[in-house]
Amino acid sequence: MEGRWAAVDRYLADQVRPDDPALEAALRESAAAGLPPIQVSPLQGRLLRVLAEAVRARRILEIGTLGGYSAIWLAGGLAPGGRLVSLEISERHAEVARRNLAHAGFGTQVEVRVGPALDSLARMAGEGTEPFDLVFIDADKAAYAEYLDWSLRLTAPGSLLVADNVVRQGTVADETSSDPSVVGVRRFLRRLAEEPRVNATVIQTVGAKGHDGFALGVVLTEPVAAAPPRAVNPR
Ligand code: SAH
Ligand code: DHB
Ligand code: MG
């Protein structure tokens, strides 16, 4: 199945508008710098751009920059004059990303902030930063629930929340898993379900990156009643 998914991914990627050469350059530079090849796939990157354009994002927050590949896609979807802030713990990753973003023409529109994302988020909230229209959560999976909390403090009604890697080859459905990433994503999904200020869903994806998925949520104008408590895995 994995081979079929990857082949269909290649076919579909060929059916949409060609990618900006700067995106391929970013992949090459990131690989040459020894960064792990864990960025979103080209079609997933295009989804990020479509979402940014759909909400006419003027301000985008990304948590987890790596070499800037998804940031280039997101920045391409910014409304004129828009800005993207991307948070990255690794100075080395951030340096590669800044180079790739500059080469893609986004040197001034995108700011890569180095440090543990939880610290950067707290600082931004303290500074009273203008709300973001879209948040892309894609850093350490163990802290996704906390990233959701901060995202809600840094957004406004109508803002879109997107979280990567929430299916994890299907392991997310394993309630006995002790993998910190699975445990972290399950905690995030539970909090998302119980959060009255967000209406959310999850889409599973297959393709070049195997079987995974995105959580998508919109920040609501009128909070809805929280989901009632329920038994774990009711039958
Ligand atoms: N969004 C990127 C991929 C991000 S990979 C893309 O699709 O192109 C995850 C990144 O999160 C890595 O670069 C890793 O260094 C960073 N990261 C991990 N823990 C972090 C933390 N606590 N704070 C900020 N960044 C973190
Ligand atoms: C990993 C992280 C990602 O953001 C991703 O898209 C794929 C893999 C990882 O940490 O292994
Ligand atoms: Mg990811």
Side-chain angles (χ1 to χ4, degrees), residues 110-147:
V110 179
E111 180 195 347
V112 181
R113 284 204 186 192
V114 176
L118 290 174
D119 293 353
S120 301
L121 291 163
R123 188 163 310 119
M124 283 194 289
E127 287 166 355
T129 307
E130 208 190 314
F132 291 96
D133 306 302
L134 190 160
V135 181
F136 179 47
I137 300 175
D138 194 20
D140 47 324
K141 315 310 168 192
Y144 265 32
E146 285 70 35
Y147 295 149

Side-chain angles (χ1 to χ4, degrees), residues 38-40 62 64-66 68-70 87-90 93 115-117 136 138-140 147:
I38 56 174
Q39 64 282 328
V40 294
E62 176 176 71
T65 316
L66 193 63
Y69 183 74
S70 55
L87 310 181
E88 173 55 55
I89 198 167
S90 157
H93 293 185
F136 179 47
D138 194 20
D140 47 324
Y147 295 149

Side-chain angles (χ1 to χ4, degrees), residues 166-219:
V166 301
V167 174
R168 317 198 62 75
Q169 316 297 332
T171 55
V172 71
D174 178 4
E175 69 196 66
T176 67
S177 175
S178 56
D179 176 338
S181 294
V182 172
V183 173
V185 167
R186 289 176 61 89
R187 199 162 61 89
F188 164 78
L189 291 175
R190 171 56 65 97
R191 191 160 313 181
L192 196 59
E194 290 173 351
E195 174 51 64
R197 290 167 293 178
V198 180
N199 186 24
T201 189
V202 178
I203 54 166
Q204 299 189 72
T205 57
V206 294
K209 295 190 71 184
H211 176 202
D212 214 330
F214 291 99
L216 300 172
V218 65
V219 181

Side-chain angles (χ1 to χ4, degrees), residues 10-70:
R10 281 192 297 277
Y11 162 74
L12 293 174
D14 283 345
Q15 302 315 302
V16 294
R17 191 191 305 167
D19 296 349
D20 180 343
L23 286 158
E24 268 125 66
L27 292 180
R28 275 198 311 277
E29 292 296 317
S30 298
L35 270 49
I38 56 174
Q39 64 282 328
V40 294
S41 72
L43 283 173
Q44 291 172 348
R46 192 170 292 274
L47 170 67
L48 295 176
R49 178 174 177 150
V50 165
L51 293 173
E53 287 174 338
V55 301
R56 295 176 159 75
R58 280 188 48 255
R59 290 178 51 78
I60 298 177
L61 173 63
E62 176 176 71
I63 307 175
T65 316
L66 193 63
Y69 183 74
S70 55

